[in-house]
Amino acid sequence: MPKGIFITYFDAVEGVMLKPEYTYIIDKTEITNSLAQQLYFAHSTGETKEYLEIKMGNLKISSYYSGMVPKSSNQICIALVLEEKEIGVAYKEFLKTKAIEIIKLLDNGGKIKIQEIYKELEKREKTVDRTHLMIRVLADEETWKSLAALREGKTVSPLTLSNLKRLELVSEKRNGETKFEIMKIKIFKAPSNSIIEDLEKGKVPPNIMSEVGQKVTNAIDELQRQIRQEMEERPIDILEPLVNSTNYQIIKILEEEGITSIKNLVRRIGVEEETILFHVEQLKNHMLADHTKEYVYPLLKVTIETKIEEKSIIKRIKNLFKKTPQAKTSKKTKKGKNR
């Protein structure tokens, strides 16, 4: 979740301006006039004039520059201050949409309500459900430090302890003294049940069946090479892609529906098609999802439990694609000729 948002405004007389009412930062990060000017000129003089993701000092910034809009005297640059691990381009479409809305607002004499824009981001990035909260908690390095501290009888922050109790990862026992029982947690990737069931039932569109099957098989082969290493390490890297709410929602829908259309994801999640495709590409890098033509499908899922899934599921998927539909057709044709 971005740490804040600010807007720089270009005035023909006064130049680049950063107004206090156009800045909303949730921590103590300071946005200076100098930084605002550097960002504005990076847009106006750089090769990538519209969208920019840049490091400025200790800050990571994702921003969009409106440029000279026809029939408008207003120019703005709307920017987000990001956490170090956030991928700024995930907010590109949001920033572009807001820039267009703000220019229209200013042209009509309206006032920018910066906190309301930030609240829209909060809605987009809010925790989806209990499982998503579990992922966010377990993707935090502090959680694992806290679990280690509790095992040693040390104290941890009340907020972290509250989240761990709420998720039933830690239970408190009082018998004269306070003791904590800590759940053993294992997190790993596993083949997605929904896609395999769809393949077995023939629900996969024929024009992509062979391609999907091959990608699932490749993903499972890769999983076999990595799973031992992943099980031995802290699972933060496995969980990080799903901390993002849009990523999580895509995976949740795919796990429920198996193969679905990009248009369905756009409708269900309420973001632009370009944004959906960006997030699917991000999930593809982690072998959690992929897409071909107008369809999106799950490859592997992230599982949080204390027992590893059975490996028999791997044989099921491999058996499905020993013979492609084309091979079966060729065999029938040959048989017909022999007659």
Side-chain angles (χ1 to χ4, degrees), residues 19-36:
K19 298 181 179 180
E21 62 267 31
Y22 289 179
T23 305
Y24 183 72
I25 309 293
I26 59 173
D27 62 9
K28 294 180 180 179
T29 301
E30 185 182 2
I31 307 299
T32 63
N33 282 316
S34 174
L35 184 143

Side-chain angles (χ1 to χ4, degrees), residues 126-169:
K126 71 179 181 180
T127 304
V128 178
D129 54 25
R130 187 178 183 277
T131 304
H132 194 207
L133 175 62
M134 174 91 79
I135 288 167
R136 286 189 168 184
V137 168
L138 293 176
D140 188 349
E141 182 73 31
E142 289 304 310
T143 297
W144 298 93
K145 288 179 181 177
S146 297
L147 289 170
L150 287 172
R151 288 190 186 97
E152 295 172 9
K154 298 176 182 177
T155 58
V156 300
S157 81
L159 178 60
T160 302
L161 184 58
S162 173
N163 281 330
L164 292 173
K165 284 181 180 177
R166 180 179 168 187
L167 294 169
E168 298 175 346
L169 299 175

Side-chain angles (χ1 to χ4, degrees), residues 166-335:
R166 180 179 168 187
L167 294 169
E168 298 175 346
L169 299 175
V170 168
S171 57
E172 191 172 356
K173 293 186 175 181
R174 296 193 181 187
N175 245 343
E177 60 177 334
T178 301
K179 287 188 177 180
F180 294 100
E181 186 175 304
I182 300 160
M183 183 186 234
K184 188 178 179 183
I185 306 160
K186 285 187 179 178
I187 298 171
F188 54 96
K189 293 176 185 175
S192 173
N193 289 322
S194 63
I195 187 68
I196 294 167
E197 288 168 3
D198 276 0
L199 288 164
E200 287 181 327
K201 292 174 184 176
K203 289 183 179 179
V204 179
N207 61 319
I208 64 166
M209 185 171 185
S210 197
E211 184 178 347
V212 174
Q214 190 57 55
K215 285 182 180 176
V216 174
T217 302
N218 291 343
I220 292 170
D221 287 343
E222 181 67 19
L223 172 68
Q224 291 300 297
R225 288 192 289 271
Q226 293 184 0
I227 192 165
R228 187 169 297 172
Q229 179 185 350
E230 289 179 345
M231 290 293 292
E232 290 171 358
E233 294 178 354
R234 287 190 176 184
I236 293 171
D237 288 345
I238 300 174
L239 293 170
E240 272 186 345
L242 298 182
V243 169
N244 179 277
S245 296
T246 304
N247 281 355
Y248 178 77
Q249 288 180 81
I250 289 172
I251 289 299
K252 189 179 177 190
I253 292 168
L254 291 178
E255 197 52 43
E256 290 169 0
E257 300 185 8
I259 288 183
T260 192
S261 68
I262 293 168
K263 287 182 180 177
N264 181 45
L265 292 175
V266 169
R267 180 182 59 80
R268 292 276 301 273
I269 299 173
V271 296
E272 309 84 354
E273 184 172 316
E274 188 177 336
T275 302
I276 290 291
L277 288 173
F278 165 78
H279 284 281
V280 173
E281 281 295 329
Q282 193 181 1
L283 293 167
K284 180 180 180 179
N285 293 337
H286 294 83
M287 297 191 295
L288 296 174
D290 202 350
H291 69 99
T292 178
K293 296 181 180 176
E294 71 268 33
Y295 298 103
V296 181
Y297 51 90
L299 294 177
L300 304 176
K301 63 180 178 179
V302 171
T303 300
I304 304 172
E305 56 179 50
T306 55
K307 184 181 177 182
I308 299 174
E309 285 190 342
E310 294 178 8
K311 294 182 180 178
S312 59
I313 200 166
I314 295 166
K315 290 181 181 177
R316 286 170 59 193
I317 180 64
K318 288 190 173 179
N319 287 337
L320 280 166
F321 291 92
K322 279 183 178 176
K323 293 180 180 179
T324 64
Q326 289 86 349
K328 289 181 182 177
T329 306
S330 301
K331 195 173 180 181
K332 284 181 183 177
T333 308
K334 191 175 181 182
K335 191 175 179 182

Side-chain angles (χ1 to χ4, degrees), residues 49-68:
K49 291 189 176 181
E50 288 188 342
Y51 175 76
L52 190 64
E53 188 171 338
I54 192 170
K55 283 290 290 283
M56 304 187 81
N58 295 326
L59 300 182
K60 184 177 180 181
I61 293 171
S62 171
S63 61
Y64 189 90
Y65 170 52
S66 69
M68 291 287 292

Side-chain angles (χ1 to χ4, degrees), residues 98-146:
K98 287 293 132 192
I100 293 168
E101 289 177 5
I102 290 165
I103 291 294
K104 285 181 180 177
L105 182 73
L106 294 173
D107 287 344
N108 294 320
K111 290 185 178 180
I112 298 170
K113 296 180 179 178
I114 198 76
Q115 287 192 40
E116 289 187 10
I117 298 173
Y118 188 80
K119 282 178 182 177
E120 286 186 48
L121 275 176
E122 285 184 315
K123 277 185 187 177
R124 172 176 162 155
E125 293 296 316
K126 71 179 181 180
T127 304
V128 178
D129 54 25
R130 187 178 183 277
T131 304
H132 194 207
L133 175 62
M134 174 91 79
I135 288 167
R136 286 189 168 184
V137 168
L138 293 176
D140 188 349
E141 182 73 31
E142 289 304 310
T143 297
W144 298 93
K145 288 179 181 177
S146 297

